[in-house]
C-alpha cells in the first residue's frame, strides 16, 4: 500500500493500522500471542531452539531460588558461533555482516565470512595473552568494527566483556575496571567525533595510573591518532592490536559453554553514587535478543539493511547492534560519528547510501531533527525505509507523528520499544504487522513476557489507571545479578514486591498507565534516576561528584524537563564558606559543570548549575527534590509547609526566574 496509512480516530487519539502489504509479509503474526499464552515456557524453549546448541538443553527455567533464575541451564552453546560460524556454514558467508561508516567518510564492509575470520583471529590473540573463560575484559572503543570484533572474540572464548561508553571519563573507567577486576583493556588511540579526534587511550592511561591493578595488558586499535601528536606508551603493558593480530592465525574452533556462563557486565546508573554492574549470561539472553530482533523489527535477513544508531557502550548497542542482529544473520550498519558531521543531514545520507530499511533510534535524536527542520531529511532518498523503531525514553506523540510522516513517508510502521539494561531485550512493543499503534504508547508486552501495572503494594490495577510497572514472570534475558553484590540486586529490583502472591515481582522503576484498551503508556522513572537523551544518569552519582569538588559543601541534582533531551541535569550547590570567594567569581558555575564532565563524562554535565545559600529540606533533613524540580521547570511551587524554612524556596525560585 502506498499513500497515507489509514487510521482511526479514538478518544486516545489516532490509531495506525499496520499497512496491508506489510502485514501480509510480516515475520510475526498474531499466532505468537496464542502460542505464548498456551504454554509460556514451551514457547521460550521453541525460541531457544532456533539457536545452535552444542549440547541441547532439557530444562527450560529453574526458578526454585528466586530472584536467581537459570534458563536452559543444562544446555551448552557458543554465543559467537551463533552470531558467525553458523551463518557461514549455512552458505551465507558472502552476506554483509557490517557496513561501517566512519565519521570522516571512510567506509569498510565485512561479510559474515570475513567477520568470522577476524573474530577467530582476535579470539586466538586473547588466548595468547592469557585471557581465559570466566575472565573479564574491558572494552573502551569508538563505534568501529573492532568494537564488534572485540566483543565477539571475548564471548567466543567464554570470557565476559565490560564495554565502557567512549564518552565516559578516566575516573569512570577506573571504577568499572576495578569493580569487574578486568585482566585486559581493549581501547583505541582515539575516535572521530564532530570532525576531531576524541582521544581514548589517554583516558585509559589515566585510569590505570589511578588504579585498576588487575589489568595486565592494554590492546590499542589504531584508528584516529594524528601523527603530529605523541601517544604515551607503557612498554610491556601496551600492545598494538594490528601488530599482535598479525602474529596469530584465524583458525579457531568455538567451544561450547554453559548457558549460564557470564556474557557481559554493563554498568548502569542507579539511585546511589555507585554504578551497578548488570550481569547478563549467554543462552537466555541470546534467545531473547534474537527473538525480539526478528519479530519486532520484522527482519528479512536476505534483503534488509538494519541500522540501530546506538553506541555499543549502551545496552541497545549490545542487544540490537551486536547480539540480536548478528544471531539473526542481519546486515548491520554502524556509524562512528555524530548525526550532524560534517553536515546536519549525515544520518539521512547514510540511509540513502546503504539503502537502510530498518532504523532504530532514540526520541531525543528525532526531536532534535524536528527542531532543525524537515527540509534536511528531504534532501535524501529515504524510500528504502520500511520500519522505524524508538527506544530509550517515552516518545511524545508529536515526535512520533513527525517520525512517521517525515522519515517514514507515512508508510513505515513505528515500533516504540520499552526495555532496560536489566531486561536485556525488548519487553513491551507493538508487533509491526499485527498491532494497531497509538502514537506515544509502547502498546503491549511481547508474546512470552508478563508485565502488569500495579499499585504500591503490588496489586494489579485495572485498565484506565496509572501505577508502577512490574514484570510478573521471569524472562530469558533478565539480568542474573549485580556483579559482586547480590544484596543490592535483591534490594533494588525484588524487595518492593517480594511478598505478593506469585511474587517476587520485578520492580522496573518506571511509572506506567494502562489505557481503557489495556495498552501501556510509560510515564518515566519513579526513582532518582534521570533520563537524559535516552541515557540513564543518577542524581546521587552527580551529587556525590559535585560534593567531591573542594568548593562544594552540599549539592542537589534534579532532572528537569527538556524539549530535546527529555530531561536535563540541573544542579544546586552550596559553597563552603571558606571558598565563597572562588564560588562567587565569574565562571565558577562553569568550573563546577566541567568538573562533572571530567569526573563522570560529558553527558552528565549539568545544563544549569546554581550556587545557592540554602537547599529546601524537610524537618528531618531530607532535600526536597520535588520542589527543586518544580522551580527548575518554572512551575509555581507546590506545598512548602513541610520545609524547615519556606523562604529558601522563594529565594531559589526568584534566582531561576532571573
Ligand atoms: C526508559 C534502554 C519509555 C525507562 C533500553 C527505562 C523508555 C529506562 C523506553 C532504561 C520507551 C526505555 N518508552 N521509556 N520505549 N525505553 N525507557 O537501561 O525509564 O538505558 O527504565 O535501557 O529507559 O534505560 P536503559
Amino acid at each position: 500500500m502506498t499513500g497515507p496509512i489509514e487510521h482511526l480516530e479514538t478518544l486516545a487519539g489516532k490509531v495506525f493500522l499496520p499497512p496491508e502489504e506489510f502485514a501480509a509479509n510480516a515475520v510475526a503474526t498474531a499466532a505468537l500471542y496464542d502460542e505464548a499464552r498456551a504454554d509460556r515456557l514451551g514457547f521460550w524453549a521453541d525460541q531457544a531452539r532456533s539457536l545452535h546448541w552444542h549440547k541441547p538443553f532439557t530444562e527450560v527455567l529453574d526458578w526454585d531460588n528466586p530472584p536467581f533464575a537459570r534458563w536452559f541451564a543444562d544446555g551448552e552453546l557458543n554465543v559467537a558461533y551463533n552470531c558467525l560460524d553458523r551463518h557461514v556454514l549455512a552458505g551465507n558467508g558472502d552476506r554483509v555482516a557490517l557496513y561501517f561508516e566512519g565519521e570522516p567518510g571512510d567506509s569498510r564492509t565485512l561479510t559474515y565470512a570475513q567477520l568470522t575470520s577476524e573474530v577467530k583471529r582476535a579470539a586466538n590473540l586473547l588466548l595468547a595473552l592469557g585471557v581465559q573463560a570466566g575472565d573479564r575484559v574491558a572494552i573502551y572503543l569508538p563505534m568501529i568494527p573492532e568494537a564488534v570484533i572485540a566483543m565477539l572474540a571475548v564471548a567466543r572464548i567464554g570470557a565476559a566483556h565490560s564495554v565502557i561508553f567512549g564518552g565516559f571519563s578516566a575516573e569512570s573507567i577506573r571504577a568499572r575496571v576495578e569493580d569487574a577486576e578486568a585482566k585486559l583493556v581493549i581501547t583505541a588511540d582515539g575516535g572521530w567525533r564532530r570532525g576531531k579526534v576524541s582521544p581514548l587511550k589517554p583516558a585509559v592511561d589515566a585510569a590505570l595510573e589511578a588504579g585498576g591493578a588487575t589489568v595486565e595488558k592494554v590492546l590499542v586499535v589504531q584508528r584516529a591518532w594524528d601523527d603530529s601528536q605523541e601517544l604515551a606508551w607503557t612498554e610491556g603493558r601496551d600492545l598494538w592490536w594490528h601488530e599482535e593480530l598479525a602474529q596469530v592465525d584465524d583458525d579457531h574452533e568455538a567451544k561450547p559453554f554453559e548457558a549460564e556462563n557470564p556474557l557481559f557486565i554493563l554498568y548502569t546508573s542507579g539511585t546511589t553514587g555507585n554504578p551497578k554492574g548488570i550481569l547478563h549470561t549467554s543462552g537466555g539472553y541470546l534467545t531473547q535478543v534474537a527473538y525480539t530482533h526478528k519479530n519486532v523489527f520484522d527482519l528479512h535477513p536476505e534483503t534488509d539493511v538494519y541500522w540501530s544508531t546506538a553506541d555499543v557502550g549502551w545496552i541497545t548497542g549490545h542487544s540490537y547492534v551486536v547480539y540480536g542482529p548478528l544471531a539473526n544473520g542481519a546486515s548491520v550498519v554502524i556509524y562512528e560519528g555524530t548525526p550532524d558531521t560534517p553536515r546536519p543531514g549525515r544520518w539521512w545520507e547514510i540511509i540513502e547510501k546503504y539503502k537502510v530499511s530498518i532504523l532504530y533510534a532514540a526520541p531525543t535524536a528525532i526531536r532534535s531533527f524536528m527542531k532543525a527542520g524537515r527540509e534536511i531529511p528531504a534532501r535524501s532518498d529515504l524510500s528504502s525505509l520500511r520500519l522505524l523503531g524508538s527506544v530509550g525514553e517515552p516518545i511524545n506523540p508529536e515526535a512520533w507523528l513527525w517520525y512517521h510522516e517525515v522519515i517514514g513517508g507515512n508508510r513505515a510502521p513505528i515500533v516504540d520499544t520499552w526495555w532496560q539494561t536489566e531486561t536485556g531485550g525488548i519487553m513491551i512493543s507493538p508487533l509491526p504487522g499485527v498491532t494497531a499503534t497509538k502514537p506515544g504508547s509502547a502498546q503491549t508486552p511481547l508474546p512470552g513476557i508478563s508485565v502488569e501495572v500495579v499499585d504500591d503494594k503490588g496489586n494489579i490495577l485495572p485498565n484506565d489507571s496509572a501505577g508502577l510497572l512490574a514484570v510478573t514472570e521471569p524472562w530469558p534475558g533478565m539480568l542474573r545479578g549485580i556483579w559482586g553484590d547480590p544484596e543490592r540486586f535483591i534490594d533494588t529490583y525484588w524487595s518492593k514486591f517480594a511478598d505478593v502472591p506469585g511474587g517476587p515481582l520485578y520492580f522496573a522503576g518506571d511509572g506506567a498507565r494502562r489505557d481503557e484498551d489495556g495498552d501501556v503508556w510509560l510515564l518515566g522513572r519513579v526513582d532518582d534516576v534521570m533520563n537524559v537523551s535516552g541515557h540513564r544518569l543518577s542524581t546521587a552519582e552527580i551529587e556525590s561528584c559535585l560534593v567531591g569538588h573542594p568548593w562544594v559543601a552540599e549539592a542537589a541534582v534534579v532532572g528537569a524537563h527538556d524539549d530535546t533531551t527529555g530531561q536535563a541535569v540541573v544542579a544546586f550547590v552550596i559553597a563552603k564558606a571558606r571558598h565563597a570567594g572562588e564560588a562567587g567569581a565569574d565562571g565558577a558555575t562553569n568550573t563546577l559543570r566541567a568538573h562533572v564532565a571530567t569526573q563522570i563524562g560529558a553527558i552528565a554535565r549539568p545544563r544549569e548549575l546554581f550556587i545557592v545559600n540554602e537547599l529546601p529540606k524537610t524537618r528531618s533533613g531530607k532535600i526536597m527534590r520535588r520542589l527543586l524540580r518544580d522551580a527548575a521547570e518554572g512551575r509555581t511551587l507546590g506545598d512548602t509547609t513541610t520545609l524547615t524554612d519556606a523562604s529558601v524556596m522563594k529565594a531559589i525560585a526568584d534566582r531561576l526566574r532571573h
Side-chain angles (χ1 to χ4, degrees):
M1 190 175 76
T2 51
I5 288 177
E6 290 171 48
H7 58 253
L8 310 168
E9 300 277 346
T10 70
L11 285 177
K14 289 192 168 103
V15 175
F16 289 78
L17 303 176
E20 264 167 46
E21 195 186 309
F22 190 102
N25 296 307
V27 172
T29 64
L32 281 182
Y33 291 106
D34 303 330
E35 287 163 29
R37 210 173 295 119
D39 176 10
R40 205 179 79 90
L41 294 182
F43 175 83
W44 281 119
D46 285 346
Q47 302 310 322
R49 283 191 201 99
S50 66
L51 301 176
H52 175 88
W53 293 84
H54 279 74
K55 177 173 170 248
F57 55 89
T58 60
E59 180 189 332
V60 181
L61 168 66
D62 171 0
W63 190 234
D64 289 346
N65 180 28
F68 299 94
R70 291 163 62 79
W71 283 85
F72 316 117
D74 62 346
E76 292 180 1
L77 79 172
N78 185 292
V79 170
Y81 181 94
N82 272 283
C83 294
L84 300 165
D85 310 48
R86 67 168 174 150
H87 304 311
V88 179
L89 292 171
N92 295 320
D94 292 338
R95 185 185 296 161
V96 172
L98 295 180
Y99 289 107
F100 164 67
E101 175 84 0
E103 197 190 76
D106 56 324
S107 60
R108 210 174 132 195
T109 297
L110 284 130
T111 63
Y112 271 93
Q114 289 166 332
L115 184 63
T116 303
S117 130
E118 298 275 344
V119 170
K120 286 179 172 180
R121 197 183 284 279
N124 282 332
L125 172 56
L126 297 181
L127 292 169
L129 294 176
V131 181
Q132 295 170 0
D135 286 344
R136 272 83 53 207
V137 174
I139 297 177
Y140 185 66
L141 284 172
M143 277 301 280
I144 55 177
E146 285 77 7
V148 180
I149 294 167
M151 288 166 77
L152 290 169
V154 170
R156 190 172 184 93
I157 63 168
H161 52 71
S162 162
V163 181
I164 303 167
F165 173 58
F168 279 133
S169 65
E171 175 50 26
S172 299
I173 301 170
R174 185 202 56 75
R176 285 161 173 75
V177 162
E178 285 186 352
D179 186 70
E181 297 176 290
K183 199 167 186 178
L184 176 78
V185 179
I186 306 178
T187 187
D189 44 13
W192 289 96
R193 299 284 302 164
R194 296 183 207 290
K196 288 203 290 268
V197 174
S198 143
L200 292 170
K201 179 162 188 297
V204 173
D205 289 341
L208 297 184
E209 201 145 297
T214 53
V215 173
E216 294 168 8
K217 300 282 179 206
V218 176
L219 273 172
V220 186
V221 176
Q222 197 169 41
R223 167 63 191 154
W225 206 252
D226 174 344
D227 287 341
S228 66
Q229 284 158 297
E230 192 126 330
L231 190 66
W233 203 258
T234 305
E235 287 307 328
R237 186 197 72 187
D238 299 347
L239 304 165
W240 282 112
W241 166 265
H242 61 280
E243 287 178 3
E244 298 301 312
L245 280 179
Q247 297 178 33
V248 289
D249 64 29
D250 63 356
D251 191 13
H252 179 270
E253 191 193 333
K255 302 255 173 353
F257 295 98
E258 288 180 4
E260 286 296 340
N261 193 47
L263 178 62
F264 64 85
I265 304 168
L266 183 58
Y267 288 82
T268 188
S269 298
T271 51
T272 72
N274 296 332
K276 306 173 277 197
I278 303 299
L279 173 67
H280 283 287
T281 60
S282 304
Y285 171 80
L286 196 65
T287 296
Q288 186 168 341
V289 296
Y291 154 75
T292 49
H293 181 260
K294 183 167 61 197
N295 289 290
V296 171
F297 297 109
D298 190 52
L299 182 77
H300 293 78
E302 313 77 24
T303 47
D304 276 318
V305 177
Y306 166 86
W307 184 22
S308 160
T309 60
D311 189 280
V312 285
W314 308 108
I315 191 68
T316 309
H318 285 61
S319 302
Y320 299 107
V321 174
V322 181
Y323 291 110
L326 297 179
N328 291 331
S331 298
V332 179
V333 172
I334 60 174
Y335 171 55
E336 178 186 31
T338 54
D340 48 0
T341 308
R343 287 170 297 279
R346 186 70 188 273
W347 269 24
W348 319 120
E349 294 168 14
I350 291 173
I351 289 172
E352 174 173 330
K353 174 171 175 186
Y354 296 103
K355 301 198 167 36
V356 171
S357 55
I358 304 169
L359 176 69
Y360 194 27
T364 292
I366 298 159
R367 286 192 295 265
S368 69
F369 297 134
M370 259 174 98
K371 240 195 219 161
R374 59 172 69 207
E375 53 295 348
I376 297 169
R379 286 181 207 134
S380 300
D381 177 5
L382 305 181
S383 62
S384 53
L385 287 171
R386 59 175 203 90
L387 182 80
L388 303 175
S390 172
V391 61
E393 52 188 310
I395 180 165
N396 46 312
E398 298 73 26
W400 195 105
L401 292 166
W402 188 90
Y403 198 27
H404 187 255
E405 181 192 334
V406 178
I407 306 305
N410 288 324
R411 161 189 82 241
I414 295 182
V415 288
D416 174 8
T417 61
W418 179 89
W419 58 294
Q420 306 177 300
T421 305
E422 291 86 344
T423 69
I426 298 172
M427 304 290 278
I428 307 177
S429 165
L431 287 178
V434 179
T435 314
T437 51
K438 299 170 187 167
S441 168
Q443 304 291 152
T444 46
L446 288 175
I449 299 295
S450 311
V451 164
E452 297 289 353
V453 176
V454 301
D455 68 13
D456 209 42
K457 303 266 171 327
N459 301 306
I460 294 175
L461 292 173
N463 289 351
D464 209 5
S465 44
L468 303 171
L469 194 72
V471 188
T472 56
E473 298 286 348
W475 65 102
M478 65 198 280
L479 76 166
R480 299 302 196 262
I482 293 177
W483 185 255
D485 201 345
E487 285 310 311
R488 191 174 179 193
F489 172 56
I490 296 170
D491 286 353
T492 310
Y493 305 107
W494 303 97
S495 61
K496 186 162 181 68
F497 307 127
D499 301 323
V500 289
L505 311 184
Y506 171 83
F507 170 58
D510 277 28
R513 182 170 76 81
R514 274 204 134 121
D515 68 16
E516 55 275 27
D517 303 321
D519 292 324
V520 180
W521 298 70
L522 278 309
L523 302 175
R525 301 288 307 190
V526 295
D527 52 12
D528 288 328
V529 172
M530 296 169 285
N531 191 326
V532 178
S533 299
H535 301 313
R536 272 162 73 169
L537 295 172
S538 152
T539 53
E541 190 180 356
I542 300 175
E543 284 166 4
S544 80
C545 166
L546 282 166
V547 172
H549 190 280
W551 301 347
V552 176
E554 260 190 278
V557 166
V558 297
H561 173 80
D562 184 284
D563 278 342
T564 304
T565 59
Q567 282 189 308
V569 179
V570 178
F572 300 86
V573 161
I574 301 179
K576 286 181 186 152
R578 64 177 182 282
H579 290 287
E582 290 113 307
D586 277 355
T589 56
N590 284 340
T591 306
L592 294 175
R593 289 171 60 235
H595 172 72
V596 176
T598 16
Q599 288 293 304
I600 302 177
I603 52 163
R605 185 199 311 266
R607 183 187 69 186
E608 288 153 309
L609 185 143
F610 300 96
I611 297 172
V612 295
N613 295 326
E614 297 273 6
L615 288 168
K617 287 190 185 147
T618 61
R619 283 172 235 275
S620 60
K622 204 169 161 326
I623 294 173
M624 297 277 286
R625 283 207 187 67
R626 181 178 52 80
L627 289 178
L628 290 172
R629 201 176 308 124
D630 285 347
E633 293 178 348
R635 268 193 301 279
T636 45
L637 295 180
D639 185 6
T640 55
T641 49
T642 51
L643 287 182
T644 32
D645 178 3
S647 65
V648 170
M649 243 0 267
K650 195 179 167 303
I652 290 179
D654 287 346
R655 277 285 303 283
L656 287 175
R657 259 197 295 279
H658 298 126

